[in-house]
């Protein structure tokens, strides 16, 4: 259980990191916090020729609020984001989700950008990035671009980042101050990988739902928008019967695969149960005039 | 590929210099290079928590951290917990409550509890249990560990 040999680089500028990734032609990995990468190295599931450590690149761990976005540097530690006033105020669902990411000692080192780039289909941060219509700002050999969350996550542990591209920043529009939201998750032990997790955001009031957004983790090869469920809520409202029917729709709409941890049927069942629980809590928050 | 890296860091208030392969895990660097074998290597993939130390004041896994990532860092390991005046209050509480049996998880439990009590004031039992779920103990059944941490939390409130 020790990592295989690799060359190690800790460049002091992002341009240099991009050049290094190019030089290794896909055989180098970016090291952010290492909370997913180092276990994979220890298991020797990965044997990259080189690691490009971003710890010396300045300015990658800032959180700032612009007119229409919250900008979270890719190297921001999960723990720092969890206690950030900007995240608490503008992205409370992300704060809630962070409480489910590993344990406090792993969040000390784990980063926001690292978890998103790792694209574990059961991970909470990709799930909330999609639920919040977030995007990543990426720098690479052919310049900079932004990629919407929906276009970023491809399949299990796979993003659409091109070789040599590095996530520099995560950009997320602030939540509506009156939105109701909740994260629900099922795992054998708190802090373990989710078997299924749900992020739910609802806007409007108890009678009329102007916007519903539900995303599931662990229910497919990437975070999954539960569109049929969202549409039903937006058409019919947030009463108990609709929530019940929409949660059933959520379960019917996912196509998870079985693995040693859980069967496909169990994951589908959990998607329905957790969607209903998440909606229940989110709707309760809507009934409270203001929160945050 | 055989390049070595130089590392300078502070452990338990003392400056150290070391030289190791970049693939060396921090837990192995502490144990083998610095001779600080109180930090235990358990699962070596970030699940069991036995290797937990304080990294710049915050609990972190030393088995999912490369030694080179700790270059310039300030670490606290179990060897630095007790002061000149005897056991740290957490250590004393573990002793009083019989919160350890084989002792393998104990360094990780103590360092995790230390960070937790620095972070959360007046924790509930549920919060204590959730925080300690970051470390796996196969002997005690956790109850006495929870009691020990609760006692220290209460004493801190005065």
């Amino acid at each position: 259980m020790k990592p295989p040999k690799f060359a190690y680089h800790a460049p002091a500028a992002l341009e240099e990191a991009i050049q290094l990734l190019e030089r290794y032609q896909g055989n180098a990995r970016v090291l952010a916090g290492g909370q997913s990468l180092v276990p994979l190295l220890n298991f020797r599931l990965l044997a990259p020729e080189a690691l490009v450590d971003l710890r010396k690149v300045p300015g990658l761990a800032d959180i700032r609020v612009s007119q229409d976005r919250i900008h979270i540097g890719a190297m921001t530690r999960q723990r720092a984001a969890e206690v950030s006033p900007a995240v608490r105020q503008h992205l409370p669902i992300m704060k809630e989700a962070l409480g489910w990411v590993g344990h406090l000692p792993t969040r000390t080192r784990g980063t926001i950008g690292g978890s998103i780039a790792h694209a574990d289909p059961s991970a909470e941060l990709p799930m909330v990035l999609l639920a919040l219509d977030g995007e990543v700002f990426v720098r690479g050999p052919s310049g900079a671009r932004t990629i919407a969350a929906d276009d970023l996550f491809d399949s299990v542990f796979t993003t659409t980042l091109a070789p040599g591209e590095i996530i520099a920043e995560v950009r997320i529009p602030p939540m509506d101050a009156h939105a109701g939201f909740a994260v629900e998750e099922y795992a054998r032990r708190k802090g373990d990988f989710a078997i299924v997790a749900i992020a739910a955001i609802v806007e409007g009031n108890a009678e009329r739902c102007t916007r519903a957004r539900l995303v599931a983790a662990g229910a497919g090869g990437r975070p999954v928008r539960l569109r049929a469920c969202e549409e039903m809520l937006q058409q019919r409202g947030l009463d108990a019967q609709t929530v019940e029917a929409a949660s059933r729709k959520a379960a019917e709409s996912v196509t998870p695969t079985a693995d040693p941890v859980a069967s496909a049927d169990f994951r589908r069942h959990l998607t329905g149960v957790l969607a209903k629980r998440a909606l229940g809590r989110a709707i309760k928050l809507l009934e409270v005039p203001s929160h945050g | 590929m055989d390049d070595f890296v130089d590392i300078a860091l502070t452990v338990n208030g003392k400056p150290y210099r070391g030289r190791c392969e970049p693939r060396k895990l921090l837990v192995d660097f502490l144990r083998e290079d610095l001779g600080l074998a109180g930090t235990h290597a358990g699962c070596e993939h970030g699940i069991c928590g036995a290797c937990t130390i304080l990294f710049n004041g915050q609990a972190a896994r030393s088995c999912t951290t490369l030694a080179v990532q700790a270059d310039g860092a300030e670490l606290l390991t179990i060897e630095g917990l007790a002061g000149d005046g005897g056991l740290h209050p957490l250590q004393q509480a573990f002793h009083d409550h019989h919160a350890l049996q084989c002792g393998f998880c104990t360094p990780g439990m103590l360092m995790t509890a230390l960070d937790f009590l620095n972070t959360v004031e007046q924790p509930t039992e549920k919060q204590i249990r959730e925080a300690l779920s970051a470390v796996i103990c196969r002997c005690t059944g956790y109850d006495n560990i929870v009691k020990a941490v609760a006692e220290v939390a209460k004493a801190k409130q005065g």
Side-chain angles (χ1 to χ4, degrees):
Chain A
M1 289 285 291
K2 308 293 176 195
K5 285 189 176 185
F6 50 78
Y8 173 82
H9 302 277
L14 206 54
E15 294 73 22
E16 207 184 320
I18 293 162
Q19 283 164 15
L20 282 161
L21 290 180
E22 269 198 293
R23 198 216 293 171
Y24 284 99
Q25 299 183 335
N27 294 317
R29 302 285 293 211
V30 174
L31 174 63
Q35 298 305 289
S36 301
L37 181 56
V38 177
L40 291 174
L41 294 171
N42 288 356
F43 279 123
R44 303 205 171 191
L45 290 170
L46 284 179
E49 224 177 292
L51 291 191
V52 179
D53 189 346
L54 298 183
R55 71 188 168 95
K56 290 185 179 167
V57 178
L60 283 185
D62 302 331
I63 300 179
R64 89 195 145 79
V65 181
S66 71
Q67 208 174 2
D68 57 355
R69 292 280 186 282
I70 317 305
H71 302 247
I72 304 174
M75 284 290 282
T76 303
R77 306 287 168 183
Q78 290 154 5
R79 184 171 177 161
E82 195 180 353
V83 298
S84 149
V87 171
R88 189 180 60 223
Q89 189 186 344
H90 300 292
L91 305 171
I93 195 171
M94 178 180 255
K95 181 181 164 64
E96 188 175 329
L98 279 162
W100 289 95
V101 177
H103 295 278
L104 194 64
T106 65
R107 296 198 290 275
T108 299
R109 303 284 308 152
T111 65
I112 299 290
S115 173
I116 288 168
H118 185 54
D120 186 321
S122 70
E124 295 84 1
L125 285 169
M127 171 180 77
V128 291
L129 187 74
L130 184 57
L132 290 166
D133 284 328
E135 59 197 19
V136 290
F137 173 68
V138 167
R139 301 262 310 271
S142 46
R145 61 174 178 141
T146 57
I147 310 171
D150 201 28
D151 299 325
L152 177 70
F153 300 112
D154 184 60
S155 52
V156 182
F157 299 120
T158 308
T159 64
T160 56
L161 288 175
E165 280 188 325
I166 298 172
I167 298 176
E169 193 175 88
V170 174
R171 296 176 175 172
I172 306 176
M175 290 170 71
D176 181 296
H178 302 291
F181 63 90
V183 173
E184 285 285 336
E185 174 165 329
Y186 181 75
R188 300 275 179 212
R189 173 181 73 147
K190 176 97 199 281
D192 283 0
F193 291 108
I195 296 178
V196 171
I198 300 278
I201 303 170
V202 289
E203 290 167 28
N205 54 45
E207 286 74 44
R208 212 175 94 71
C209 172
T210 51
R211 185 170 173 273
R213 182 55 68 91
L214 278 94
V215 177
R222 48 156 278 171
V224 184
R225 275 272 302 272
L226 304 171
R227 287 176 204 271
C229 170
E230 294 172 359
E231 279 161 20
M232 187 179 273
L233 296 166
Q234 283 162 189
Q235 280 159 13
R236 299 199 207 162
L238 297 170
D239 59 280
Q241 279 125 326
T242 307
V243 167
E244 181 76 44
S247 302
R248 268 201 306 276
K249 266 262 188 280
E252 287 162 11
S253 66
V254 294
T255 50
T257 48
D259 63 24
V261 177
S263 67
D265 275 348
F266 184 40
R267 287 182 192 273
R268 202 174 296 120
H269 171 73
L270 283 175
T271 303
V273 170
L274 297 174
K276 189 176 157 186
R277 276 187 207 163
L279 282 169
R281 278 181 42 226
I283 292 165
K284 266 216 179 81
L285 275 180
L286 267 186
E287 289 157 9
V288 182
S290 78
H291 56 82
Chain B
M1 292 284 274
D2 292 309
D3 289 347
F4 278 65
V5 285
D6 292 309
I7 297 166
L9 75 179
T10 307
V11 186
N12 304 328
K14 251 176 77 179
Y16 286 91
R17 286 187 171 278
R19 191 170 165 72
C20 67
E21 280 189 280
R23 65 174 170 151
K24 186 142 211 169
L25 300 175
L26 181 56
V27 62
D28 295 328
F29 182 77
L30 290 169
R31 292 173 58 85
E32 296 165 5
D33 294 49
L34 304 189
L36 297 169
T39 300
H40 292 164
C43 72
E44 299 187 300
H45 65 291
I47 300 297
C48 82
C51 68
T52 306
I53 56 161
L54 293 201
F55 190 108
N56 291 336
Q58 297 183 325
R61 309 282 207 229
S62 60
C63 78
T64 55
T65 305
L66 300 172
V68 65
Q69 289 180 288
D71 184 35
E74 259 185 55
L75 310 185
L76 184 74
T77 68
I78 189 67
E79 288 89 348
L81 191 57
D84 297 334
L87 293 180
H88 183 278
L90 268 168
Q91 290 172 311
Q92 189 60 51
F94 270 55
H95 180 267
D96 296 343
H97 287 272
H98 190 58
L100 61 146
Q101 289 179 33
C102 88
F104 192 86
C105 73
T106 311
M109 280 288 181
L110 287 165
M111 302 317 275
T112 302
L114 181 67
D115 182 26
F116 169 68
L117 293 179
N118 286 340
T119 308
V120 180
E121 281 172 35
Q122 305 188 16
T124 62
E125 188 190 313
K126 185 165 179 275
Q127 285 174 307
I128 293 172
R129 286 184 179 275
E130 193 177 311
L132 295 179
S133 76
V135 188
I136 291 176
C137 172
R138 294 285 88 131
C139 300
T140 63
Y142 300 95
D143 263 14
N144 289 345
I145 302 176
V146 173
K147 283 179 195 154
V149 175
E151 184 186 85
V152 178
K154 216 171 152 206
K156 275 184 84 166
Q157 290 159 37

